[in-house]
Amino acid sequence: MKRFKRLEMPMLSSKAYFTTLFLTFLSVWPDKCLMQDYPPREFSTEPNTQNPIPELSLKIVLCRASSSPSAQYRWMKDGTYITEYNALDYSYRMISVNRTDAGIYRCVAKNYLGAIRSKGAKIVIAYIDNFESHTNQTVNVLSGDGVVINLPSINSVPDPAVSWYASGVEMAPEAQRHQITLEKNLVLLSTSIHSDNGKIYKAEALNGINGVIRRTKDFALRVGDTGEGVTKPPALLVGPKNTTAKTGDRDTKLECIYNARPLSGLQTKWYKKGSQRTEIVGSNKYIFNTLYKRVLTIKDPDLSDAGQYECEAVFVSNGQSSTMTSDAYLTVNEAPLITSQIQSQYLRDFGQSIQVDCQATGNPSPTITWYFNAQPVSSVANNRLSVTQGGSLKIENLELSDSGVYQCFASNAAGETKVSAWIKVDQSPPMFISSPLNLTLVEGADARFPCEVSGAPKPVIIWKKKLDNIESEVTTGGRYQISPTTNELLIITTEPSDSALFSCNASNSQGSIYAEATLNVYQRTQITQPPLAITEVEKGSVASLQCGVSHDVNVNITWKWYQGQVELNPSDRITIEQDGTLTILSVSSSDSGVYKCQVLSAGGNDERSTNLKVIELPFMPVITNIAVPPTALKSANISFSPGPNGNTPIERFIFQKRMVTYYPDKGVTMGEDEGWETYPQDVAPNVRFFVMPNLRPARYFQFRLKSVNKVGVGPASHAKPNTPLLMPEQPPEAAPRGFYGSPRSNSSIMLNWQAPPSDTWNGDLTGYKVKYRLKGYTSPFLERNTNPWPSTSFELTGLIVFTEYEIKIAAYNNEGVGLYSDSINVRTREGVPGVPPTDVNVSSVNSTAIKIVWLPPDASKINGVNLGYIILAKGPGNIEERLTVPPDPTDPYNFQQAFMYNLKKFTDYTITVTCYTGQGPGPASTPVHIKTEEDVPDEVVHLSFTDIFDTSVKVIWQHPVEINGILTGYTLLWEKKNQNKTRKDINLSNTTLTYTVRDLDPTTKYTIYIYGKTSKGAGKNSSADFESGVPPERPGAPYNLGISDIQARSTLLQFLLGYDGKTSITLWRIHGQIDNNDTWVPVYEISDPDARTILVPNLRPFTMYRLRITAVNIVGPGNYSAPSRQFQTAQAPPNVPPDNVTVRAINSTALRISWAPLSQLNWNGYPRGYRMIYKRKDEVNTHEVVLDTDSESYTLAKLEEWMEYEVKMNAYNDVGSSPFSPISTERTRDAKPSHGPVAVTADAVSSTAINVTWGDVPLDDRNGIILGYRVLYKSLSENIKDQYKDVPGNETYYVRLTNLRKYVEYQVQVLAYTRMGDGVLSQDVLSVQTDEDVPGPPTKIWFPEVTYSTAKVVWEPPTQPNGILTGYLVSYKERDGSLQGNSSDLPVTQKQYTVATLQREQYYIFKVMARTRLGWGEPKEVLVYTIINRRKPDKPMKPQITAEVQARNITISWQPAYDGYGPIRNYTIQYKSEGKNWVDFQESIPPSSSTFTVTGLHPNTRYNFRVAATNDIGKSNFSDPSDEVRTRQDKPEGAPLNLQVKPLTTDSIHITWEHHQLLLSILLQRQ
């Protein structure tokens, strides 16, 4: 019975009723019919203010808004509409604009749901008129005063650029005596009757948009005379004006111009006045363009800049100062900003009220204006709509006519802004679209009661159930499901207890209704656990065919079984159990066939059928042919025929190979089942031809195969061929290992390597081939064959000096050359330069210095590192000067220059320049000849007197030793001793060497002076004394010698003068005996006539001396003095450093230094030791090592890898150190990098790829030649272990990581490697997430509730969501049918779904897929059978061990048992070793599998296995354990630890090690 009831509604007039229905229709219509429609709410393109445009130009303003349906557009100018609405054009065109088109333009966009208006756009039309009519003017001013010449009025948009001209010359905007103001007037300051009177001024105005220029008439200046020197106090000509700016302006300016005389005494200052007066100084904020500070520019004005500004004139004249000030106020406006959070859409029911707040900030305070559908709210005749004083929009008792777009405009002097909101109004009472009907069902069917209702607000639906006059509310749960979208009540798999009266109640604010319907459920008899459609049983096992029934407890059941048409009767092998199960023992092939179960009862009859198949292992296959293909000489083509399949399809073939030892007279020496190696990949069942790859050349092989079906692995075929197959020999397939090189000389490199792994030789090696070429060149490689096998070193000779080579090596055998190694780069040692410097130019600087300029040799021919240049200057005889200079560090390839000093004057020299490297100098340049400049001569020599009479004397001399030019003559001077006033002189020719001086006074002492002359002047004079009339004699010997102030290389000799020989002493000569040697040798001589002490230099330190002295006058030397006492000079630092300092690399962190010790003579004192200074070549800081005097070598350890070091040494004694030896350079050997690459970046480029870039490893940490990089990537959050991407080469700094997990955060680091191994990872661990993508399939899908017509599917989210999941979709179909149905989009929180329209006892395929924002992902398919009373599956059959037993994995197979009508979801495998517990294998086994390879096992260990099956109801018992099987042996686990090697004797060493922990545990277990 179906009943309806509507609550009473107030009586309405026909008009009101019609209006109500119409409004109800309107409220429903947008939701049902126009779900995608929406009004314009924002403009995507909006007119905006732009630069002015010239008249007669084309102007187009655009306006576009998004809406559905598309909007119509209308334009207004200055608040007045100028077009009608147009849906086709959203632009407004002005073809040829004029100045009347200027104004504020807006557009209005509307559709049937509402309208909006745009912000105003100001259109400016550029034009310029003539200056206002005026005639030439005369401007009068008194001298010293200032005057303002006002620019005549002119109409111009925009404001013109104005230039002023003085007598035809354009004036600068600002100068000391004039200023062009911000208003473009001209201010003249401190006018002068002399310089300004009569000048003509004119202005020129340029419109920058249309380029039109207008010019004024002339302004003639007349300056009245008030006296040019009269001081004028400050006077304000142009004061600052109150100014308004707004935030966002680039700047604003204030102007203040004073006049005074003199202007030099006038200074302008600016202040900002607030609580205190603060002077403004120039900065990035406050800018003065000139020193005069007449214009203050305030950059980027903001609210804090507003306030009172003051300009002050400070005038100082004649010591008196005066000031004058003027103020202006700066106002800063700020554009409005709406601060209220206004939603873009408000949905309200009919009759509700709404308030939308709109507050805004700005300066001045913004004005709030509301518009409704582009019309001011103030103009809308609706007393329910109002705007509060605070700017909020209020609408009381909403009606449908209130629906539309509301805009809040906030505006002030600085601009305007707006926000839009769409207000929707909805209402209608509930109405049934479909209502429930009475139902009578059979138990197990599903009951559906529809209840679809319309109304606004959306009605609330409540289902109620009434039984025995007790009414209760029905909610979703268990078998009762209420659709959240259609409100349909679904009762799944009805039961008799579900019989009752059900009602659907709907209500909203506009009313309520309800409808009722009755449900009756009856029970019936049926087979609820039928046998499987196909039942497979292994031969010899037990077949159990079930036939479970559900029925009324008062009904008796009878079972009958048939094979084909023959009824089965119980026997020894066949029984029918009490629950109807048919059991057949020890099945054979004859038991195969169709079986039927028939159920008879008073409650009804039922029957089901099954097909019983008896299956067994497949039979032995047969190999029919084996051959080596000519195009793949490491493979064997195997043809075969499979045997019978054992009544179940062959699933795959297993191929095996073995390498055998074969003797023609003995055959194969291995047993039939020994040595077989299984090909790791299975072969498809339809294949009859197989290629066995990766066979070692020059080895014998045999092959066999096995067939596999679901029962297990069949017997192996016979080993073929009978005479094993000999694989042809091939070139080696691996490169030599550990290939490295080192320079042997400047033209050879020593190469070393190890042979490739022996299993890659592919025959007997006969030698190696080396390829080499210049690094960086693309020319073909040159080739060399090394010494015959088994040599592993080779000297590559005939190379270019100091050149880097790219070298690689390969092994070869009789069949050819194998793979080449990775290239290594090695540089030959340095040589000497091959060519001299060129373009040598020499110029004289002075008499002792020259300048040398030259061009360095070609860099490619220096043959090493240019250490510098040797400049050799050769003069006459054996004169030779040498200068060494380094290359110019700022420009070593361009012209170089050097200066050579201390050369002989006025001397011819031959100059050569030589470049040198660490190996020595190269050839010298072409000689260049030059002569030093002339200079004054040295003193004359051998000055003497003869013919000494009372009134005359003959003076004799010799030319100076060094004339230093062309001798032009001599000057002879004489005077009474110490009486300069008596001096006389005479100039003599350059050939004169004697002269007789006359008219002397008798017996008077005279002093004679003589000097030579060149064109450069007079040289140093020589002098001597004599007494007229008294001939000189040889001097006597000095006496009383004393030694004092003994230094290392000098001593002070004191003595008394003996007889002077009646003339002055011209020279002192000192001889000495050294180290007890009896021979006297010259030590020192000096010309110092009055000396009584002589500092004797150039002595040898720490040496015994005895000295004597003699005096020399113009007659000759006198006798030597008596010897001094013996004395020893003091110690001095050693003369020279250790010689032949040699540095050689020992390993990557050590250098060995050796040297030649100092001789005893060079120590200059008591020896103390050697000091070694070393540092990295590229660093400044040095390190010191002190060594004793017996040392001749030393090893520097703990150095940095692959770094070039500089080493120098000196010797030291008690008092100091010798100079350092020349710097020796050597590089430590390479090692692993000790730092990761820098500047690593990682960026996701797709959902499966990340781009990684990096920079170089810091130079200090490379520790060798970088051969490549490895990028480490992993994910901690997803437990993705370390993976590496190799990037060979050192010039690639980029790689793309591909095949990554989607939407997963990866951690990325980079390392570099050298030939010594991997370096340190980069410091920063970069985290980067791959992009989002569609998700993977959901996991763990099962059906907790299944009936004949319903199935509730439950799932877990995908293990790889690949993004943020947004929903799910469930689809299903019959297993052999087409698509039957889809769910609607399910929310991401819902992980279950019930389908209630399925057919009884059918297999269905359900697909569940997830979605991200990028779309639907891969579906997951599962099978379900519509039946009741499901149960857990039976345990699988005992697992069988295949022949694929490996060291660490074993393959097992099993036969599934009865699945309990819940299809198997997965299998679980357990294993255990001897004496241990069962362990779960962690991997989930898919239900389609009946074989699986268990990995991660220990070699040489016994194992058992068992299997369990899981369906929706639960997990079965585990199968019986498999037979015990032992894994194969394998190489030991891990390398030995703590390897130590110690020398034992001169020809033996002692080696110790420890077992690896894994190996140790296995050994202990074995013991």
mmCIF file of all heavy atoms in Angstrom, residues 1504-1525:
data_model
loop_
_atom_site.group_PDB
_atom_site.id
_atom_site.type_symbol
_atom_site.label_atom_id
_atom_site.label_comp_id
_atom_site.label_asym_id
_atom_site.label_seq_id
_atom_site.Cartn_x
_atom_site.Cartn_y
_atom_site.Cartn_z
ATOM 1 N N ASN A 1504 62.900 -26.329 4.199
ATOM 2 C CA ASN A 1504 61.558 -26.834 3.889
ATOM 3 C C ASN A 1504 60.668 -25.634 3.590
ATOM 4 O O ASN A 1504 60.911 -24.537 4.088
ATOM 5 C CB ASN A 1504 60.955 -27.619 5.065
ATOM 6 C CG ASN A 1504 61.729 -28.883 5.362
ATOM 7 O OD1 ASN A 1504 62.595 -28.897 6.222
ATOM 8 N ND2 ASN A 1504 61.407 -29.953 4.650
ATOM 9 N N PHE A 1505 59.618 -25.858 2.798
ATOM 10 C CA PHE A 1505 58.699 -24.796 2.415
ATOM 11 C C PHE A 1505 57.259 -25.263 2.592
ATOM 12 O O PHE A 1505 56.953 -26.460 2.498
ATOM 13 C CB PHE A 1505 58.917 -24.389 0.944
ATOM 14 C CG PHE A 1505 60.309 -23.916 0.654
ATOM 15 C CD1 PHE A 1505 61.313 -24.810 0.285
ATOM 16 C CD2 PHE A 1505 60.639 -22.580 0.778
ATOM 17 C CE1 PHE A 1505 62.595 -24.378 0.036
ATOM 18 C CE2 PHE A 1505 61.924 -22.140 0.527
ATOM 19 C CZ PHE A 1505 62.905 -23.030 0.160
ATOM 20 N N ARG A 1506 56.346 -24.288 2.841
ATOM 21 C CA ARG A 1506 54.915 -24.593 2.869
ATOM 22 C C ARG A 1506 54.160 -23.341 2.423
ATOM 23 O O ARG A 1506 54.688 -22.231 2.465
ATOM 24 C CB ARG A 1506 54.463 -25.031 4.244
ATOM 25 C CG ARG A 1506 54.597 -24.001 5.364
ATOM 26 C CD ARG A 1506 54.173 -24.602 6.689
ATOM 27 N NE ARG A 1506 54.160 -23.586 7.768
ATOM 28 C CZ ARG A 1506 53.847 -23.853 9.035
ATOM 29 N NH1 ARG A 1506 53.522 -25.096 9.399
ATOM 30 N NH2 ARG A 1506 53.842 -22.877 9.933
ATOM 31 N N VAL A 1507 52.881 -23.563 1.997
ATOM 32 C CA VAL A 1507 52.113 -22.503 1.364
ATOM 33 C C VAL A 1507 50.722 -22.454 1.982
ATOM 34 O O VAL A 1507 50.152 -23.490 2.341
ATOM 35 C CB VAL A 1507 51.997 -22.742 -0.165
ATOM 36 C CG1 VAL A 1507 51.262 -21.599 -0.839
ATOM 37 C CG2 VAL A 1507 53.363 -22.929 -0.783
ATOM 38 N N ALA A 1508 50.164 -21.221 2.133
ATOM 39 C CA ALA A 1508 48.772 -21.014 2.554
ATOM 40 C C ALA A 1508 48.110 -20.074 1.568
ATOM 41 O O ALA A 1508 48.763 -19.203 0.980
ATOM 42 C CB ALA A 1508 48.702 -20.437 3.964
ATOM 43 N N ALA A 1509 46.777 -20.265 1.383
ATOM 44 C CA ALA A 1509 45.997 -19.415 0.489
ATOM 45 C C ALA A 1509 45.090 -18.519 1.316
ATOM 46 O O ALA A 1509 44.606 -18.907 2.379
ATOM 47 C CB ALA A 1509 45.171 -20.265 -0.474
ATOM 48 N N THR A 1510 44.822 -17.288 0.819
ATOM 49 C CA THR A 1510 43.959 -16.330 1.514
ATOM 50 C C THR A 1510 42.885 -15.847 0.556
ATOM 51 O O THR A 1510 43.173 -15.504 -0.596
ATOM 52 C CB THR A 1510 44.774 -15.124 2.001
ATOM 53 O OG1 THR A 1510 45.806 -15.585 2.873
ATOM 54 C CG2 THR A 1510 43.892 -14.136 2.753
ATOM 55 N N ASN A 1511 41.592 -15.895 1.056
ATOM 56 C CA ASN A 1511 40.502 -15.267 0.309
ATOM 57 C C ASN A 1511 39.844 -14.209 1.181
ATOM 58 O O ASN A 1511 40.395 -13.817 2.216
ATOM 59 C CB ASN A 1511 39.506 -16.316 -0.196
ATOM 60 C CG ASN A 1511 38.789 -17.042 0.944
ATOM 61 O OD1 ASN A 1511 38.903 -16.645 2.110
ATOM 62 N ND2 ASN A 1511 38.055 -18.085 0.607
ATOM 63 N N ASP A 1512 38.647 -13.747 0.794
ATOM 64 C CA ASP A 1512 38.000 -12.666 1.544
ATOM 65 C C ASP A 1512 37.632 -13.081 2.959
ATOM 66 O O ASP A 1512 37.466 -12.219 3.833
ATOM 67 C CB ASP A 1512 36.727 -12.211 0.815
ATOM 68 C CG ASP A 1512 37.050 -11.528 -0.507
ATOM 69 O OD1 ASP A 1512 38.175 -11.021 -0.627
ATOM 70 O OD2 ASP A 1512 36.185 -11.515 -1.394
ATOM 71 N N ILE A 1513 37.471 -14.380 3.184
ATOM 72 C CA ILE A 1513 37.031 -14.847 4.508
ATOM 73 C C ILE A 1513 38.226 -15.020 5.445
ATOM 74 O O ILE A 1513 38.130 -14.800 6.651
ATOM 75 C CB ILE A 1513 36.240 -16.163 4.383
ATOM 76 C CG1 ILE A 1513 35.113 -15.987 3.365
ATOM 77 C CG2 ILE A 1513 35.683 -16.597 5.725
ATOM 78 C CD1 ILE A 1513 34.171 -14.845 3.683
ATOM 79 N N GLY A 1514 39.377 -15.387 4.905
ATOM 80 C CA GLY A 1514 40.552 -15.558 5.749
ATOM 81 C C GLY A 1514 41.606 -16.416 5.095
ATOM 82 O O GLY A 1514 41.550 -16.727 3.900
ATOM 83 N N LYS A 1515 42.610 -16.801 5.897
ATOM 84 C CA LYS A 1515 43.735 -17.573 5.399
ATOM 85 C C LYS A 1515 43.495 -19.046 5.693
ATOM 86 O O LYS A 1515 43.014 -19.420 6.771
ATOM 87 C CB LYS A 1515 45.037 -17.113 6.060
ATOM 88 C CG LYS A 1515 46.291 -17.833 5.556
ATOM 89 C CD LYS A 1515 47.514 -17.488 6.380
ATOM 90 C CE LYS A 1515 47.951 -16.075 6.140
ATOM 91 N NZ LYS A 1515 49.238 -15.801 6.840
ATOM 92 N N SER A 1516 43.866 -19.923 4.731
ATOM 93 C CA SER A 1516 43.755 -21.363 4.926
ATOM 94 C C SER A 1516 44.843 -21.856 5.868
ATOM 95 O O SER A 1516 45.750 -21.103 6.246
ATOM 96 C CB SER A 1516 43.885 -22.077 3.576
ATOM 97 O OG SER A 1516 45.243 -22.026 3.126
ATOM 98 N N ASN A 1517 44.742 -23.118 6.245
ATOM 99 C CA ASN A 1517 45.864 -23.751 6.938
ATOM 100 C C ASN A 1517 47.034 -23.874 5.971
ATOM 101 O O ASN A 1517 46.848 -23.890 4.741
ATOM 102 C CB ASN A 1517 45.456 -25.129 7.457
ATOM 103 C CG ASN A 1517 44.374 -25.045 8.523
ATOM 104 O OD1 ASN A 1517 44.321 -24.070 9.279
ATOM 105 N ND2 ASN A 1517 43.503 -26.038 8.573
ATOM 106 N N PHE A 1518 48.252 -23.965 6.533
ATOM 107 C CA PHE A 1518 49.417 -24.146 5.674
ATOM 108 C C PHE A 1518 49.438 -25.564 5.122
ATOM 109 O O PHE A 1518 48.969 -26.522 5.761
ATOM 110 C CB PHE A 1518 50.706 -23.851 6.436
ATOM 111 C CG PHE A 1518 51.038 -22.388 6.479
ATOM 112 C CD1 PHE A 1518 50.672 -21.609 7.560
ATOM 113 C CD2 PHE A 1518 51.703 -21.792 5.421
ATOM 114 C CE1 PHE A 1518 50.965 -20.256 7.601
ATOM 115 C CE2 PHE A 1518 52.011 -20.435 5.444
ATOM 116 C CZ PHE A 1518 51.636 -19.673 6.532
ATOM 117 N N SER A 1519 49.974 -25.687 3.921
ATOM 118 C CA SER A 1519 50.110 -26.999 3.282
ATOM 119 C C SER A 1519 51.088 -27.862 4.071
ATOM 120 O O SER A 1519 51.790 -27.376 4.978
ATOM 121 C CB SER A 1519 50.620 -26.821 1.850
ATOM 122 O OG SER A 1519 51.952 -26.312 1.883
ATOM 123 N N ASP A 1520 51.136 -29.135 3.717
ATOM 124 C CA ASP A 1520 52.168 -29.998 4.281
ATOM 125 C C ASP A 1520 53.534 -29.502 3.813
ATOM 126 O O ASP A 1520 53.670 -28.977 2.701
ATOM 127 C CB ASP A 1520 51.957 -31.441 3.822
ATOM 128 C CG ASP A 1520 50.649 -32.018 4.351
ATOM 129 O OD1 ASP A 1520 50.183 -31.542 5.413
ATOM 130 O OD2 ASP A 1520 50.082 -32.916 3.687
ATOM 131 N N PRO A 1521 54.580 -29.628 4.656
ATOM 132 C CA PRO A 1521 55.903 -29.130 4.250
ATOM 133 C C PRO A 1521 56.434 -29.872 3.035
ATOM 134 O O PRO A 1521 56.162 -31.066 2.827
ATOM 135 C CB PRO A 1521 56.773 -29.372 5.482
ATOM 136 C CG PRO A 1521 55.821 -29.511 6.615
ATOM 137 C CD PRO A 1521 54.577 -30.142 6.046
ATOM 138 N N SER A 1522 57.207 -29.175 2.240
ATOM 139 C CA SER A 1522 57.863 -29.791 1.091
ATOM 140 C C SER A 1522 58.961 -30.721 1.571
ATOM 141 O O SER A 1522 59.336 -30.733 2.751
ATOM 142 C CB SER A 1522 58.466 -28.695 0.198
ATOM 143 O OG SER A 1522 59.560 -28.088 0.874
ATOM 144 N N ASP A 1523 59.468 -31.517 0.637
ATOM 145 C CA ASP A 1523 60.645 -32.320 0.953
ATOM 146 C C ASP A 1523 61.824 -31.375 1.224
ATOM 147 O O ASP A 1523 61.900 -30.280 0.690
ATOM 148 C CB ASP A 1523 60.985 -33.250 -0.221
ATOM 149 C CG ASP A 1523 59.889 -34.285 -0.447
ATOM 150 O OD1 ASP A 1523 59.162 -34.592 0.519
ATOM 151 O OD2 ASP A 1523 59.749 -34.742 -1.598
ATOM 152 N N GLU A 1524 62.753 -31.838 2.072
ATOM 153 C CA GLU A 1524 63.901 -31.011 2.405
ATOM 154 C C GLU A 1524 64.829 -30.909 1.205
ATOM 155 O O GLU A 1524 65.040 -31.873 0.472
ATOM 156 C CB GLU A 1524 64.641 -31.618 3.593
ATOM 157 C CG GLU A 1524 65.707 -30.703 4.186
ATOM 158 C CD GLU A 1524 66.323 -31.299 5.452
ATOM 159 O OE1 GLU A 1524 67.020 -32.321 5.304
ATOM 160 O OE2 GLU A 1524 66.092 -30.745 6.533
ATOM 161 N N VAL A 1525 65.399 -29.709 0.999
ATOM 162 C CA VAL A 1525 66.289 -29.478 -0.121
ATOM 163 C C VAL A 1525 67.427 -28.592 0.358
ATOM 164 O O VAL A 1525 67.238 -27.730 1.215
ATOM 165 C CB VAL A 1525 65.521 -28.823 -1.302
ATOM 166 C CG1 VAL A 1525 64.962 -27.468 -0.913
ATOM 167 C CG2 VAL A 1525 66.425 -28.678 -2.533
#
